[in-house]
Amino acid sequence: GFFRNKYMWLGFFIACAVETINSLNALYPNVPHLQIRAYDLAPFFPTHPWNAVGYFPTTLYPLTIGLGYVLSTDVSFSCWFFYLFTKLENVGVSAIGWTGGAGGMASPPYLGQQGAGAFLGIVVMVIYLARGHLKEVIAHVFGKSKIDDLDEPMGYRTAVFGLIAGFLVMIGFAAYVGVSPWAGVLYLGIYLAFATCISRLRAEAGPAWTMGPYMDAMDATIRPLGAGAFGRQSLIGLAYFHWFSIEMRCCPMPVTVEGMKMAQAAGVRQRTMTIIMLAAIVAGIAIGFWACLAVWYHFGAESAKVDPWRTNMGKASFDRLTTYLNNPARPDTAAILAMTFGACFTFFLTIMRTKFFWFPFHPAGYVLANTGTLYWLWCPFFIAWTLKTLIIRYGGIKGYRAALPFFLGLVLGDYTISSLWALAGSVLGIRMYRCFPC
């Protein structure tokens, strides 16, 4: 019935039309252009203190409007509300003249530190709320109880001992290249906590992409204690490991969770999906290495034919290392306090949601607002929240269900036509309009 729904096809063709017009405009400038990608509002705030608002993009991506409609209204509301609140934080600290250390992240209102603390806070609350189940799992692992784990992706014993063994292997690998064991435990523990938080956010808020906090795992390890607390070899080793924590949009954990959820909905055995995913991981690593190196060696990593973002990300780790080695700072008290505040505020939001049904703020919105996730998503979420609220207010659940195919059509149409234009550009060797993100 989904593919026979006229509202679905209406949404599908609207998304196709918008992206096609912009793709044609990129090739033939006389074709009209529809502004749906990032449009910065910061130039409209030229005077003090409003000029401290920073980068302030608005977007109208069809796919994110469609995804935002599927979210619960408290999540979509919290996402755009807390993002705008971060802008007010920037304006507020500028208005009162509150300054801090050098660099954006070291200065008030410490959004990077708040985000890192909020990420850790989410993990603590997830573990606390799941404590009953986790106790049963631990008891089962050590033979003190029996619970059914046949429908799980792997047995609980395999999962627990695999986690412990895998973590010890990673610590040993880090120690082999010179990272002190305590630094390796701290760094990898924070990274796994961030990955767990991103998985939770994808499950609850479902944004089109989910980024880690501005203060990534390496910074969250070094900055609070100060670079002077780490040996030179530990800092160098952490820089070599920084590639998988500096940019967490591609974190494998949330993708794995989503794959398991789809398998569950489709009636596929979880353990069968685990085997398939493990095989895909091995193949993906090999193909990924080959694809990147083939492109760079064929076209030249510094040529205009290659997107410089990836090589810049590789360089960024060692630029940061140079800063830490040349400026072995002391413990950052402000970072510790801001991280503590972020975690405690997340605790507060979570507790309020579990105690009071009417509480309108969702912790996922606060966490995502202190990352780069909502730069390009807050405005579509605001539009989706407004439309969904009005539809439910005047049409009830029947109105919501009747409109749902239209918004899913926006998602399907945007992905379909964007993929087709990208394939056409690859076949023809032409640089095409980039539909997402900016």
Side-chain angles (χ1 to χ4, degrees):
F2 176 76
F3 289 101
R4 293 193 299 270
N5 189 291
K6 59 183 179 180
Y7 295 115
M8 189 284 289
W9 286 111
L10 176 62
F12 183 93
F13 285 117
I14 287 176
C16 287
V18 170
E19 299 291 13
T20 296
I21 289 172
N22 286 340
S23 296
L24 290 173
N25 170 265
L27 299 175
Y28 309 102
N30 57 328
V31 175
H33 174 257
L34 302 176
Q35 181 62 45
I36 64 170
R37 297 200 309 183
Y39 183 79
D40 189 9
L41 298 179
F44 292 96
F45 302 95
T47 58
H48 178 81
W50 297 100
N51 56 3
V53 71
Y55 183 51
F56 195 6
T58 57
T59 61
L60 297 170
Y61 300 121
L63 73 95
T64 46
I65 294 174
L67 291 173
Y69 183 79
V70 181
L71 298 181
S72 61
T73 51
D74 59 342
V75 172
S76 56
F77 166 75
S78 298
C79 284
W80 67 260
F81 174 85
F82 280 115
Y83 177 79
L84 295 181
F85 188 78
T86 63
K87 296 301 178 185
L88 289 178
E89 287 184 81
N90 288 330
V91 172
V93 297
S94 177
I96 64 177
W98 184 15
T99 59
M105 192 167 58
S107 302
Y110 304 106
L111 297 181
Q113 291 87 340
Q114 285 189 58
F119 264 61
L120 297 175
I122 285 285
V123 175
V124 172
M125 291 307 300
V126 165
I127 294 173
Y128 175 76
L129 294 174
R131 63 192 183 281
H133 173 66
L134 294 177
K135 287 180 181 178
E136 291 182 354
V137 170
I138 297 301
H140 174 76
V141 168
F142 292 99
K144 297 180 180 180
S145 72
K146 289 287 186 180
I147 54 177
D148 185 9
D149 60 359
L150 294 178
D151 291 332
E152 297 294 336
M154 63 178 64
Y156 287 142
R157 288 189 179 90
T158 304
V160 171
F161 290 124
L163 172 64
I164 295 172
F167 192 77
L168 291 176
V169 168
M170 289 192 293
I171 297 302
F173 191 91
Y176 180 76
V177 299
V179 179
S180 62
W182 71 268
V185 169
L186 185 60
Y187 170 71
L188 291 169
I190 290 175
Y191 170 76
L192 290 177
F194 284 1
T196 303
C197 179
I198 285 182
S199 303
R200 179 73 174 190
L201 294 174
R202 284 285 283 271
E204 285 196 295
W209 63 359
T210 311
M211 303 179 74
Y214 299 117
M215 176 182 265
D216 55 47
M218 181 177 174
D219 282 331
T221 301
I222 297 174
R223 280 180 176 269
L225 301 177
F230 297 82
R232 180 184 182 87
Q233 194 60 40
S234 289
L235 293 174
I236 294 173
L238 291 177
Y240 274 101
F241 293 141
H242 194 211
W243 62 269
F244 58 80
S245 67
I246 190 173
E247 177 60 89
M248 297 195 70
R249 282 178 290 182
C250 302
C251 179
M253 189 184 292
V255 181
T256 305
V257 172
E258 288 175 339
M260 293 299 176
K261 181 62 178 177
M262 287 188 284
Q264 185 183 62
V268 178
R269 290 188 72 247
Q270 298 279 321
R271 299 196 180 185
T272 301
M273 180 58 73
T274 299
I275 295 172
I276 294 172
M277 283 189 172
L278 289 173
I281 288 171
V282 173
I285 291 173
I287 294 171
F289 269 97
W290 169 82
C292 288
L293 293 175
V295 169
W296 289 331
Y297 277 100
H298 181 73
F299 294 105
E302 293 294 329
S303 70
K305 292 185 177 182
V306 174
D307 185 351
W309 177 83
R310 287 165 182 81
T311 51
N312 287 340
M313 292 300 285
K315 179 174 177 288
S317 300
F318 298 96
D319 289 340
R320 196 171 304 179
L321 170 64
T322 301
T323 301
Y324 284 136
L325 291 176
N326 293 337
N327 301 281
R330 297 178 179 178
D332 189 344
T333 305
I336 296 172
L337 292 175
M339 291 174 69
T340 303
F341 172 82
C344 291
F345 192 65
T346 303
F347 297 158
F348 168 75
L349 294 176
T350 305
I351 293 170
M352 290 295 289
R353 277 191 54 79
T354 58
K355 298 294 184 182
F356 302 103
F357 177 77
W358 52 263
F359 191 69
F361 301 109
H362 196 288
Y366 172 70
V367 177
L368 289 171
N370 288 286
T371 71
T373 305
L374 293 180
Y375 273 156
W376 299 291
L377 303 185
W378 77 268
C379 189
F381 280 2
F382 171 74
I383 295 171
W385 171 82
T386 303
L387 293 175
K388 184 174 182 177
T389 301
L390 292 174
I391 290 172
I392 293 177
R393 174 67 177 82
Y394 296 104
I397 191 64
K398 290 184 178 179
Y400 166 78
R401 290 173 177 167
L404 181 58
F406 171 80
F407 289 93
L408 295 179
L410 290 177
V411 179
L412 182 61
D414 202 344
Y415 271 108
T416 301
I417 197 64
S418 300
S419 299
L420 292 175
W421 276 106
L423 289 172
S426 298
V427 171
L428 300 174
I430 300 174
R431 183 172 183 175
M432 291 292 189
Y433 169 78
R434 186 176 180 182
C435 299
F436 184 87
C438 59

